[in-house]
Amino acid sequence: GAVVSQHPSWVICKSGTSVKIECRSLDFQATTMFWYRQFPKQSLMLMATSNEGSKATYEQGVEKDKFLINHASLTLSTLTVTSAHPEDSSFYICSARWLGYTFGSGTRLTVV
Amino acid sequence: GDSVTQMEGPVTLSEEAFLTINCTYTATGYPSLFWYVQYPGEGLQLLLKATKADDKGSNKGFEATYRKETTSFHLEKGSVQVSDSAVYFCALREETSGSRLTFGEGTQLTVNP
């Protein structure tokens, strides 16, 4: 079946640095990728929707300059958290639209 | 806007116990409803779905019925196994919102032998 590989599974970074999270569709072409953020004991919150070759559509309240999304190819989408701060610590999950939704395994980001 | 509310966890059961995880929703139209499961270290996987009122989704012994009158989609299983230990998410998709999913908070289930 369809698989989305998400890396890294966890990362610790210092405040002020940037972190890149990658999601690759391994056996299908993902024209649409969704990026979610999950706080402890809370639901997955949609951050943005990206379509291959075009700019991402961000949800209200999500800073597009802070959470840079690139979807340059049909098999790769990246989320870069720029100038990370401790409040950006969270669980980030990607999901590709392909005969349904296929999810990555998530990235636990801790900013210290 | 759309929202999904799940029963608070964590839920701990003994093997072969009956499971119910409550899910209620708020939507302006006629959403499709889903249950996703996330096993440790893995991505979310679709467990079952229902697209219209009174539909029953079922998979791997789990069932959920789309109840429009109570705006609910409760997940049930008659006899849980240790391997069912995971986090369960209820979700909806409104036709008017395109492809986006709205998730509940997730419920952690632990089944002890």
Side-chain angles (χ1 to χ4, degrees):
Chain A
V3 174
V4 171
S5 176
Q6 182 171 349
H7 293 282
S9 56
W10 62 270
V11 58
I12 302 173
C13 70
K14 293 184 177 181
S15 289
T17 62
S18 295
V19 173
K20 180 184 285 188
I21 301 169
E22 291 189 351
C23 278
R24 293 181 183 273
S25 56
L26 298 186
D27 47 8
F28 66 100
Q29 294 182 330
T31 54
T32 302
M33 190 76 78
F34 303 94
W35 286 93
Y36 294 88
R37 179 175 181 176
Q38 185 182 25
F39 293 99
K41 298 185 179 181
Q42 295 187 27
S43 63
L44 281 73
M45 303 298 295
L46 181 65
M47 299 175 65
T49 303
S50 72
N51 293 295
E52 184 267 338
S54 62
K55 290 184 178 180
T57 301
Y58 289 81
E59 296 299 304
Q60 192 171 9
V62 177
E63 299 176 60
K64 61 179 68 177
D65 294 330
K66 181 168 191 58
F67 299 99
L68 301 179
I69 291 173
N70 185 284
H71 195 163
S73 80
L74 287 170
T75 59
L76 174 64
S77 179
T78 61
L79 167 67
T80 302
V81 183
T82 62
S83 186
H85 292 283
E87 56 265 30
D88 299 325
S89 299
S90 192
F91 193 63
Y92 295 87
I93 304 175
C94 62
S95 172
R97 186 89 166 97
W98 174 254
L99 301 178
Y101 302 88
T102 302
F103 289 82
S105 53
T107 297
R108 172 74 59 191
L109 170 64
T110 302
V111 184
V112 298
Chain B
D2 301 341
S3 66
V4 177
T5 302
Q6 285 181 237
M7 67 182 289
E8 280 194 36
V11 174
T12 302
L13 297 173
S14 298
E15 207 164 22
E16 299 183 3
F18 184 85
L19 169 71
T20 300
I21 301 178
N22 290 338
C23 171
T24 57
Y25 67 89
T26 302
T28 53
Y30 302 94
S32 295
L33 302 174
F34 306 83
W35 276 100
Y36 282 85
V37 58
Q38 184 177 31
Y39 299 103
E42 299 183 18
L44 277 72
Q45 303 172 25
L46 179 64
L47 180 59
L48 53 84
K49 69 178 182 181
T51 57
K52 60 183 188 297
D54 299 325
D55 268 2
K56 176 186 284 188
S58 61
N59 185 25
K60 300 181 181 179
F62 291 89
E63 293 183 340
T65 301
Y66 189 142
R67 300 288 188 198
K68 190 172 185 300
E69 63 276 14
T70 55
T71 61
S72 65
F73 194 53
H74 305 321
L75 182 69
E76 297 182 335
K77 185 173 186 180
S79 176
V80 293
Q81 305 300 312
V82 173
S83 58
D84 293 327
S85 298
V87 181
Y88 293 82
F89 292 91
C90 186
L92 70 80
R93 185 185 71 222
E94 280 258 49
E95 291 306 316
T96 54
S97 65
S99 300
R100 60 184 298 169
L101 289 170
T102 300
F103 286 90
E105 300 88 348
T107 302
Q108 172 76 55
L109 170 66
T110 301
V111 180
N112 295 318

